[in-house]
Amino acid sequence: MRILVTEDEPRLLRSLAKALREEGYAVDTADTGDEGLFKAQNYPYDAIVLDIMLPGIDGWRILERLRKEKATPVLMLTARDAGPDRVRGLDLGADDYLVKPFDLPELLARLRALIRRAAGVAQPVIELGGIAIDTRSRTVAHAGKPVTLTAREYSILEYLALHKGQVVSRSELYEHLLDDSDDTLSNLVDVHVFGIRKKLGHSLIATRRGQGYSIE
Amino acid sequence: MICVLAGFGIAVFRLQQVTRFRQVDGELEIRVSALNAALREAYLEQGPPNAGGLPEDAGFRGPPPDHGPPDGRGFDKGKARDGRGPEGRGRRGPPPQPKKPGGLRFTADAAALFGNRPGDYYFVAWYRDGSVLQRSPAAPADLTRPEISDRDTLPHYLTRGSFREVVHCAGMGDCVLAGRSVETDLSAARNFAWTLLAAGGAILGLGLGLGFWFTSRAIRPIETISAAASRISHGNLSERVEGAGSGDELDNLAEVLNSTFARLESAFARQRQFTADAAHELRTPLAVIISETQTTLARERSAAEYRETVEACLDTAQQMRRLTESLLELARFDANEDRPRMSVDVAETARLCVERIRPLAAQHGIRVETELAPAHAFINVDRLSQVVTNLLTNGIYYNHPDGTVRVVTRTEQDRAAIAISDTGIGIAAADLPHIFDRFYRVDKARSRAEGHTGLGLAISKAIVEGEGGSIGVESVPGAGSTFTVRLPLR
């Protein structure tokens, strides 16, 4: 899952990015409105954390302009907590709202919920035959027994599971699982898929030659 | 108003009544004199024996129609005495009784004065023994000879029921009476009274109505104003009084109130904005501290990582401390706290501030130049130092390495001026109008990271204006800015 964090306070941006990366997300950051808008418009994020008070274009306008072309889930993050502000944010197309100062676990939970809902999945635990993927704790169990996956492996599995029945191309996986600071070789996805198959069985992920992967 | 109307109505009514009766009386007097003439004619026709006295008298006694009663009376009295005198002197003993005439002799004109129908003028003539000499058919049947003494030769005006009569008796007791039913006059008077009453009522009603209308028209703007004021006092500050647009005093009042409300509203809006900004500024560092610590505590870290987190938290806490101090300071200025002022040499204060700031300047590689001409201002010296230090600090922070900060003091006409220039990054024209706004920062990320609260210039402006001075800025982006503070000499 790839997330954009737009925040002008450098320390907060840094610690948010750090926390999200440790949660297994690919994280891009922007500290001005213009950069945030550019990235939001040009990369396929799974969610955007958007501060309202930004230098340059403010959060409201980013949201307004983004909603004209994309439905990326947006979590507004701001120190403004007046009722009308919240209403305005939600009416402009924000999917959720958090007031600073916030609790990090709550922010992470809301982001998970946003990403799940955007994929059309309501349950936090995704069941695939005998395999249970718990998106809350980022753990996988096979026939009731926990299976240890690397963070990347888990991310690929979760992405494919959330897009069950769809063919997901390698480039899509790259776009959603790697942030702009990652510098990895293209065959790494294949390596991670190989690792998942080894741990959870060969039939779970099907390879569509020339198109990508899918979970049926 | 009711009293005035009633008084006026009664006066009009009385006047009308009196005029009417005068008119009737005048008519009756004409007839009485005609009757007298007719009586004299009757005596003359009868023969001479005694006709001398009476007809002559009667002739004199018919009051001329034009004369008013007082004149006629005086005239009659004199004549009566004169007339009776010779008679009394001439004929001692009982006066000879003239023969009772058969009837009055009217001329055609005189006869036309009386009518036969009820309501017409009627007459009765009594002979001196009390018997009726002649009566007109229209005379009421119950009419008897009024009790008037023989000597009374004045015309008497009587009102008997609905009849108005004038009686005149000649000296010998012959009396003539002319009368008329005033029934129609009375009913006309009654009608007139009703008309007056109705008119009075109408005027009263109209007056009350118009009065009410005018008053409510006059009061309406006041009510509008008070309603608007009460809505405003209930918190709807964007409410305005609607002027009538009539350009009168109330319109002026509405305008004055509106401008007051507008100032209040903008003051409240500024206060609200300030509170929101202050909350934002305090929440952001709080968010940093919470997010830093929660991220760090999520798993085991190396000592270096913990150290980094603790340092970040300390920095952020220091930033919050500076911010709360600045906020408190601003709140104190807003409360208009007064401090003692005295005549201060601005140059001396600037010199002290520059000495104190030199270590910081050296740390940033900035040179501080001074050109201090003595200039005395009437100001609180601590506050002046604070402003100068603020501006010097800004000059150092927003400067290029190896840049210069230049401090100039001088006297300009009635002001003491301090100009602090830097050779720094300058301020874009779009930012210039906002540079003194609270929390306004041209480069938020950079200034916050360096610990600036965005309140320094706002505080400086509050101080300078609180001391009766002014602060201004000129800037060339990329070349530097000059802040100039002007203070009152006295």
Side-chain angles (χ1 to χ4, degrees):
Chain A
M1 299 297 145
R2 188 170 178 183
I3 290 176
L4 171 67
V5 181
T6 311
E7 164 64 57
D8 67 330
E9 164 60 48
R11 277 209 185 87
L12 188 57
L13 182 61
R14 207 181 57 205
S15 92
L16 267 181
K18 183 178 173 189
L20 287 170
R21 284 198 183 107
E22 285 178 357
E23 280 293 304
Y25 294 107
V27 180
D28 287 353
T29 58
D31 60 3
T32 64
D34 303 79
E35 189 188 354
L37 179 63
F38 175 80
K39 287 187 171 173
Q41 282 173 328
N42 290 291
Y43 296 104
Y45 293 108
D46 295 286
I48 297 172
V49 176
L50 184 62
D51 187 22
I52 288 179
M53 289 218 196
L54 288 169
I57 309 172
D58 69 21
W60 309 116
R61 303 239 311 275
I62 293 179
L63 189 57
E64 213 168 10
R65 285 165 70 171
L66 179 67
R67 278 290 171 262
K68 284 181 185 154
E69 36 189 290
K70 281 190 173 183
T72 317
V74 169
L75 180 115
M76 294 292 260
L77 193 64
T78 182
R80 289 167 167 265
D81 70 337
D85 281 350
R86 282 193 289 244
V87 171
R88 184 179 170 196
L90 294 173
D91 278 350
L92 278 175
D95 299 87
D96 206 346
Y97 204 104
L98 257 186
V99 174
K100 289 183 198 170
F102 52 85
D103 267 325
L104 199 60
E106 186 182 354
L107 174 81
L108 297 174
R110 283 175 187 263
L111 275 177
R112 282 195 297 271
L114 279 186
I115 293 166
R116 258 199 332 263
R117 278 205 300 273
V121 178
Q123 292 291 324
V125 179
I126 305 166
E127 300 276 353
L128 296 167
I131 296 159
I133 303 167
D134 191 336
T135 58
R136 293 165 299 189
S137 56
R138 298 175 62 83
T139 54
V140 179
H142 189 211
K145 283 187 206 142
V147 178
T148 313
L149 297 181
T150 66
R152 262 296 130 69
E153 284 167 357
Y154 173 83
S155 296
I156 291 173
L157 178 63
E158 188 191 67
Y159 192 86
L160 290 173
L162 284 174
H163 298 84
K164 199 173 123 186
Q166 297 169 25
V167 178
V168 179
S169 68
R170 278 187 185 79
S171 62
E172 187 178 343
L173 279 174
Y174 282 127
E175 280 180 338
H176 283 274
L177 303 180
L178 305 181
D179 57 49
D180 51 12
S181 61
D182 275 323
D183 180 21
T184 37
L185 298 167
S186 66
N187 70 347
L188 268 180
V189 169
D190 298 331
V191 173
H192 293 311
V193 171
F194 177 76
I196 296 168
R197 281 176 175 153
K198 209 165 80 180
K199 290 167 183 170
L200 297 173
H202 212 77
S203 60
L204 180 65
I205 299 171
T207 305
R208 301 294 168 91
R209 203 150 294 283
Q211 295 180 52
Y213 301 102
S214 77
I215 289 180
E216 296 301 331
Chain B
M1 180 153 147
I2 292 173
C3 291
V4 169
L5 271 178
F8 180 72
I10 289 168
V12 168
F13 181 73
R14 293 290 305 164
L15 189 68
Q16 174 79 5
Q17 196 84 322
V18 166
T19 315
R20 202 177 282 270
F21 273 95
R22 285 250 171 85
Q23 212 176 340
V24 171
D25 288 350
E27 292 289 320
L28 288 175
E29 276 162 11
I30 293 170
R31 282 160 180 83
V32 164
S33 74
L35 284 171
N36 278 330
L39 187 59
R40 195 180 55 190
E41 286 298 317
Y43 276 110
L44 280 176
E45 201 174 77
Q46 216 177 17
N50 215 359
L54 188 106
E56 209 177 312
D57 279 351
F60 273 112
R61 235 155 266 145
D66 292 345
H67 287 195
D71 284 356
R73 236 172 263 153
F75 176 74
D76 282 352
K77 256 181 196 158
K79 281 291 169 196
R81 221 176 289 127
D82 286 355
R84 214 178 292 125
E87 193 185 13
R89 275 196 302 278
R91 301 172 208 290
R92 300 276 170 209
Q97 289 291 312
K99 216 172 105 200
K100 182 179 173 181
L104 302 172
R105 288 290 171 269
F106 287 109
T107 60
D109 285 352
L113 291 172
F114 300 97
N116 294 333
R117 288 192 310 276
D120 281 342
Y121 286 93
Y122 58 82
F123 69 88
V124 182
W126 287 279
Y127 190 53
R128 54 198 66 168
D129 61 1
S131 62
V132 173
L133 195 61
Q134 192 177 347
R135 63 190 303 152
S136 72
D142 59 342
L143 187 58
T144 53
R145 184 178 185 271
E147 292 301 320
I148 293 170
S149 82
D150 286 356
R151 297 190 157 276
D152 190 352
T153 58
L154 300 173
H156 286 267
Y157 299 83
L158 310 169
T159 302
R160 213 167 42 79
S162 60
F163 298 99
R164 179 74 173 172
E165 292 161 351
V166 176
V167 185
H168 180 255
C169 290
M172 305 311 289
D174 293 326
C175 285
V176 291
L177 176 148
R180 206 195 106 184
S181 166
V182 288
E183 185 65 45
T184 51
D185 300 80
L186 287 178
S187 75
R190 271 197 299 279
N191 285 342
F192 183 61
W194 280 117
T195 311
L196 272 181
L197 207 61
I203 290 170
L204 185 68
L206 197 68
L208 284 178
L210 279 177
F212 183 74
W213 184 68
F214 272 120
T215 330
S216 58
R217 247 184 84 88
I219 292 223
R220 199 176 308 138
I222 298 175
E223 279 176 344
T224 317
I225 290 170
S226 90
S230 90
R231 281 196 297 275
I232 289 163
S233 81
H234 282 99
N236 185 4
L237 284 171
S238 60
E239 189 73 44
R240 287 290 174 273
V241 178
E242 244 179 76
S246 50
D248 58 8
E249 291 82 352
L250 282 175
D251 236 24
N252 291 343
L253 175 65
E255 249 169 59
V256 170
L257 284 177
N258 276 343
S259 75
T260 310
F261 292 148
R263 275 206 305 280
L264 264 181
E265 190 189 9
S266 79
F268 270 103
R270 257 182 287 129
Q271 193 61 42
R272 210 167 27 237
Q273 181 63 41
F274 175 66
T275 314
D277 290 347
H280 178 265
E281 296 296 321
L282 284 169
R283 277 178 162 152
T284 305
L286 270 180
V288 171
I289 293 175
I290 292 174
S291 136
E292 277 279 340
T293 47
Q294 281 179 334
T295 308
T296 308
L297 291 175
R299 62 190 65 191
E300 284 298 317
R301 310 274 176 188
S302 68
E305 272 182 290
Y306 282 126
R307 188 183 178 83
E308 198 185 320
T309 303
V310 172
E311 275 170 358
C313 287
L314 177 64
D315 273 1
T316 314
Q318 297 279 27
Q319 183 191 336
M320 286 178 79
R321 194 193 64 185
R322 278 192 297 274
L323 182 62
T324 37
E325 275 168 6
S326 298
L327 284 173
L328 278 175
E329 203 160 342
L330 265 181
R332 273 203 293 274
F333 286 121
D334 286 345
N336 273 334
E337 197 179 282
D338 253 348
R339 293 205 197 169
R341 291 173 193 170
M342 54 170 81
S343 190
V344 174
D345 185 356
V346 173
E348 181 58 22
T349 311
R351 197 185 57 75
L352 288 173
C353 291
V354 167
E355 289 316 311
R356 276 203 297 270
I357 209 84
R358 275 193 199 283
L360 182 74
Q363 198 183 323
H364 284 77
I366 307 292
R367 206 149 29 89
V368 183
E369 294 175 356
T370 55
E371 187 188 320
L372 306 172
H376 288 266
F378 194 70
I379 191 173
N380 179 278
V381 68
D382 293 332
R383 289 189 166 170
L384 176 61
S385 306
Q386 196 178 351
V387 172
V388 173
T389 307
N390 263 347
L391 295 176
L392 283 172
T393 312
N394 276 350
I396 291 167
Y397 272 119
Y398 295 102
N399 217 324
H400 294 298
D402 299 325
T404 309
V405 174
R406 185 175 171 78
V407 185
V408 178
T409 63
R410 57 177 180 266
T411 307
E412 293 178 346
Q413 291 153 16
D414 58 342
R415 309 241 114 175
I418 315 163
I420 295 169
S421 323
D422 62 58
T423 53
I425 52 175
I427 303 158
D431 290 318
L432 270 183
H434 305 289
I435 202 79
F436 293 106
D437 291 356
R438 292 171 181 189
F439 296 120
Y440 192 87
R441 276 166 297 199
V442 175
D443 183 350
K444 280 187 187 176
R446 178 187 157 182
S447 54
R448 209 186 274 149
E450 288 172 8
H452 295 287
T453 57
L455 289 173
L457 284 175
I459 291 174
S460 298
K461 184 179 161 80
I463 293 175
V464 170
E465 289 184 351
E467 298 289 325
S470 64
I471 186 166
V473 62
E474 285 164 31
S475 187
V476 180
S481 314
T482 302
F483 287 86
T484 308
V485 175
R486 293 184 171 83
L487 297 162
L489 293 180
R490 175 68 238 181

